[in-house]
Every structure is written in structure tokens, then in C-alpha cells.
Amino acid sequence: MTPLAIFKRQIDQERWANARIIDAIDKAAAEGLPEHILAQCRAKLAHNLEAREIWLERLESRAPTGANRFPDQPALDELRAWSDRALAEWSAYLDRADDAEIDRVVTYTVAAGGSFDTAVHDILIHAATHGFHHAGQIAMLLN
């Protein structure tokens, strides 16, 4: 399997995981899990989706639209739509990519003002592991 194929499968896995996470949050709410825990779960998923959008803007050399793209406490249907849209955009990007693209170095500036040069393949690994990290945090909160 090529590195590009692996990155595409990671997007598919994240799409699947996000749907399961949203379903689990919904079930936990119906079972009476305290709202402050549910809010933390929604916030962690929203944070991950926001980070995904920021990284894709950098990869596509688009002007940043800024942080805090979503309400502090998005509803589950909003999170589901956001996840579907964001990961569809990532899939489209990867469908256009080739080996030269994933080896390209991207220069970007972070919100705090620092400038960095990072290979696309390193960004793809970071974005995937960042999502898995927060999925694990959400799972711990729900248990």
C-alpha cells in the first residue's frame, strides 16, 4: 500500500470514528451522563475538526479563516455535518494529491505568530494522530 493510500484510509477511519463518537455522545446523553462531561466531549471533537480545517487551509495555501469557527457547545447534528463536510474536503484534497504533493514542504504561520516549514506527509501524520488522541480522550470521558 502506498503512503497516499494509507493517508486516504486514515480519513475513512476518522469519518467512521467520528460517526461512532457522535452516536456514543448521544447515547450517553440519553443515559443521563452529566452535561459538563458531554460538553467536554463535544468540545474535543469540535477542536479536532477545527484543527483539520486549519491544516487543510495551510496545505491548499488558502488564507486562514481564523480559530473558533464553531460555537463553544455545538449540537451533535452540527458536529455530524461539520465532520462530514471537513472529511469530504480532506478526501477531495487527497484524491488530487500525488507523491510529489505529499513530499512538498509547506510554509505557514501559526496564530501565535511563528513561521514553520513542514513536509505534507508530516502534516498528514500529525492530523491523523491528533484526531486519534482526542478520540481516546472522548472515550475515556464517556466511560
Side-chain angles (χ1 to χ4, degrees):
M1 180 176 293
T2 67
L4 191 54
I6 291 169
F7 294 133
K8 288 178 181 182
R9 287 192 66 182
Q10 286 176 330
I11 293 296
D12 292 340
Q13 193 281 334
E14 189 169 335
R15 182 180 293 112
W16 173 86
N18 286 353
R20 300 297 77 72
I21 287 167
I22 292 165
D23 291 345
I25 295 169
D26 191 34
K27 180 180 178 197
E31 293 173 351
L33 192 68
E35 177 55 33
H36 72 280
I37 295 174
L38 297 168
Q40 289 178 57
C41 294
R42 291 189 306 269
K44 287 182 184 305
L45 183 56
H47 161 77
N48 187 58
L49 293 169
E50 182 175 66
R52 274 275 182 201
E53 288 185 344
I54 291 167
W55 280 116
L56 190 58
E57 288 171 354
R58 292 172 179 162
L59 293 176
E60 294 181 332
S61 301
R62 291 188 273 142
T65 55
N68 301 319
R69 300 155 191 255
F70 225 72
D72 285 339
Q73 290 306 315
L76 291 180
D77 60 335
E78 294 171 312
L79 284 170
R80 191 178 306 278
W82 190 9
S83 177
D84 291 346
R85 185 189 76 252
L87 295 175
E89 290 172 2
W90 270 90
S91 290
Y93 166 77
L94 290 171
D95 285 344
R96 295 187 304 273
D98 57 16
D99 289 341
E101 171 62 12
I102 64 170
D103 288 335
R104 179 175 64 96
V105 173
V106 176
T107 300
Y108 58 93
T109 303
V110 297
S115 182
F116 297 90
D117 300 312
T118 307
V120 170
H121 54 80
D122 289 333
I123 292 170
L124 296 175
I125 291 168
H126 170 78
T129 57
H130 179 252
F132 300 153
H133 168 71
H134 289 301
Q137 288 180 321
I138 294 167
M140 297 235 356
L141 286 166
L142 292 175
N143 287 315

